[in-house]
Amino acid sequence: QVQLAESGGGLVQAGGSLRLSCAASGRTFSTYAMGWFRQAPGKEREFVATISRYSVTTYYADSVKGRFTISRDNGKNTVYLQMNSLKPEDTSVYYCAARSGTTSRHRDEYDYWGQGTQVTVSS
């Protein structure tokens, strides 16, 4: 089992940057593929990015491709989401998630979730 805790959210102007972090408990972090999802008020939770266990493979939602970068440091049990060129439509609660095995874009395939961190982008 793994527990996840996100940090790094906040208020930023359009065009700005933020880096989210997600710290995982336990000694088996490298056995999990990790993902970032987001949920805006009144909307479903949507896929943002995912990374494989040893960072070989990454996938992004079309809406963030070229602006966001997912990375991980297995030595620190942490996954990151670097967000550049932020837009007001990126405003959401951002969640990290973990699943055993390979990467996935589907939220229902993730086993563990963090509590989320709010990102607000002002125009």
Side-chain angles (χ1 to χ4, degrees):
Q1 191 165 355
V2 62
Q3 292 183 324
L4 304 172
E6 303 93 338
S7 61
L11 174 63
V12 64
Q13 288 189 330
S17 297
L18 281 175
R19 188 176 83 155
L20 305 183
S21 299
C22 173
S25 65
R27 295 178 290 179
T28 59
F29 180 68
S30 62
T31 67
Y32 295 98
M34 300 297 296
W36 285 98
F37 291 77
R38 66 186 183 186
Q39 187 168 18
K43 295 189 176 181
E44 292 190 349
R45 192 170 299 187
E46 65 175 8
F47 167 75
V48 175
T50 183
I51 188 166
S52 60
R53 294 180 297 162
Y54 294 100
S55 305
V56 173
T57 305
T58 58
Y59 295 106
Y60 297 91
D62 288 344
S63 59
V64 307
K65 201 173 295 183
R67 299 188 298 122
F68 290 11
T69 302
I70 188 171
S71 62
R72 66 189 295 164
D73 184 336
N74 287 348
K76 294 183 178 180
N77 283 12
T78 302
V79 62
Y80 304 97
L81 185 68
Q82 178 67 44
M83 305 186 295
N84 299 329
S85 302
L86 282 161
K87 305 175 181 180
E89 51 263 44
D90 294 318
T91 295
S92 285
V93 177
Y94 283 72
Y95 299 88
C96 70
R99 71 182 301 269
S100 299
T102 61
T103 56
S104 173
R105 299 171 183 260
H106 304 291
R107 64 179 185 268
D108 293 342
E109 296 183 354
Y110 284 80
D111 303 306
Y112 305 103
W113 292 84
Q115 297 282 72
T117 186
Q118 176 71 48
V119 172
T120 303
V121 184
S122 63
S123 57

